[in-house]
Amino acid sequence: MGLNQSKNIKPKMLEELLQITGFSAQEIFEWYQDFHKEYPQNHLTVREFKKLYANFFPSGDSNRFAEHVFRTFDLNNDGTIDFREFMCAISVTSSGRMEQKLRMAFNIYDVDGDGYITRQEMLEIFNAMYKMLGNSIRLDDDVSTPEKRTEKVFRQMDRNMDGKLTLDEFIDGVKQDPSILRLLNVF
Ligand code: CA
Ligand code: CA
C-alpha cells in the first residue's frame, strides 16, 4: 500500500463493483472520488470508522458498536475497510434487498462468525447499541434494558428453543415482527 495509488478506480474493480452493487459506473466513480479524497490511503481504519459513528451518535458512546459493524464490513478481515468493502456495505445498507440487509444484520450479531447467534452474542450487541444510543430514544418497558430485549427477541425467534438463532430463524422472526427491523437500522 504505497501513497502513490492511482486516483482513478482500476477497470477490474469497477467491473466487479458494477456486478456486485447495482450502482452505475458514474455513481461508483463519484463514490470513489469522495472516498479517495477523504481517505487518501484508500482505506478506512477502525479508528476512522469510530469517528464516523461518533459524529452520528453524539449523545452516546458508539465505540463498541462501531467495532462490531467494522468487523462485519471488513470482509477479508485485514483490519481495514477498502473501497471495495466500503461499496459492498453501502449498496446493501442503501439499496440492497431485504434478505441481504438481514444477512448483514445477522453477521453483526453473530460475533464469532460460527453461523449462530447466542444469547451472549445478542446481549453484547444490544449492550453496545444501548450505549451508543444513550438517552436519545424512549424505550418501552419490555425492552428497557439489553437483557430484556435479548429475552424478548429469543422468545420470538428461537423456535426450537435451543438457545441460539440460525439465519433462518432470524429472517423468519424479522418477517413476522418487522418492528425488530427498527433496531437493526442503525448502521
Ligand atoms: Ca478489509
Ligand atoms: Ca455465533
Side-chain angles (χ1 to χ4, degrees):
M1 297 269 167
L3 278 172
N4 49 2
Q5 288 201 11
S6 163
K7 272 195 179 161
N8 288 314
I9 186 164
K10 294 196 178 73
K12 204 176 145 230
M13 190 193 274
L14 179 62
E15 205 178 295
E16 195 186 352
L17 286 174
L18 280 170
Q19 280 181 8
I20 306 175
T21 65
F23 288 127
S24 69
Q26 181 63 28
E27 287 170 320
I28 294 172
F29 183 72
E30 280 167 16
W31 276 110
Y32 188 79
Q33 298 299 312
D34 288 347
F35 189 82
H36 186 79
K37 202 157 70 182
E38 198 71 29
Y39 308 105
Q41 302 279 354
N42 272 339
H43 63 238
L44 262 152
T45 62
V46 71
R47 225 176 117 230
E48 288 162 330
F49 197 72
K50 284 180 183 176
K51 248 196 253 167
L52 286 180
Y53 262 81
N55 288 336
F56 277 117
F57 299 96
S59 61
D61 175 359
S62 57
N63 275 316
R64 250 164 76 197
F65 192 78
E67 279 174 19
H68 285 295
V69 179
F70 188 90
R71 160 179 59 75
T72 307
F73 288 179
D74 179 14
L75 298 170
N76 69 350
N77 256 319
D78 69 350
T80 65
I81 296 175
D82 60 22
F83 182 66
R84 187 183 173 282
E85 290 167 334
F86 178 77
M87 287 309 289
C88 289
I90 294 279
S91 85
V92 172
T93 53
S94 68
S95 60
R97 286 176 293 122
M98 184 55 70
E99 205 97 342
Q100 287 178 304
K101 289 185 187 178
L102 292 178
R103 190 175 291 262
M104 184 174 271
F106 183 88
N107 289 340
I108 290 179
Y109 287 96
D110 180 12
V111 175
D112 67 2
D114 70 348
Y116 301 99
I117 302 170
T118 62
R119 272 195 170 74
Q120 207 47 44
E121 287 175 319
M122 185 159 276
L123 188 58
E124 160 62 21
I125 299 302
F126 283 152
N127 268 322
M129 194 182 284
Y130 277 43
K131 268 194 172 161
M132 172 172 76
L133 296 172
N135 297 321
S136 63
I137 50 161
R138 262 182 54 87
L139 296 163
D140 290 341
D141 195 44
D142 63 338
V143 292
S144 59
T145 66
E147 287 79 7
K148 283 188 189 174
R149 176 151 254 158
T150 300
E151 283 316 310
K152 186 175 182 196
V153 172
F154 266 81
R155 266 202 312 278
Q156 287 174 324
M157 291 191 177
D158 187 13
R159 278 194 311 251
N160 66 352
M161 297 187 5
D162 67 348
K164 48 192 189 180
L165 302 178
T166 62
L167 180 62
D168 282 348
E169 286 177 324
F170 185 76
I171 288 177
D172 284 354
V174 173
K175 278 180 182 156
Q176 276 164 37
D177 179 8
S179 75
I180 290 170
L181 263 192
R182 264 202 318 252
L183 66 123
L184 302 174
N185 277 340
V186 288
F187 54 88

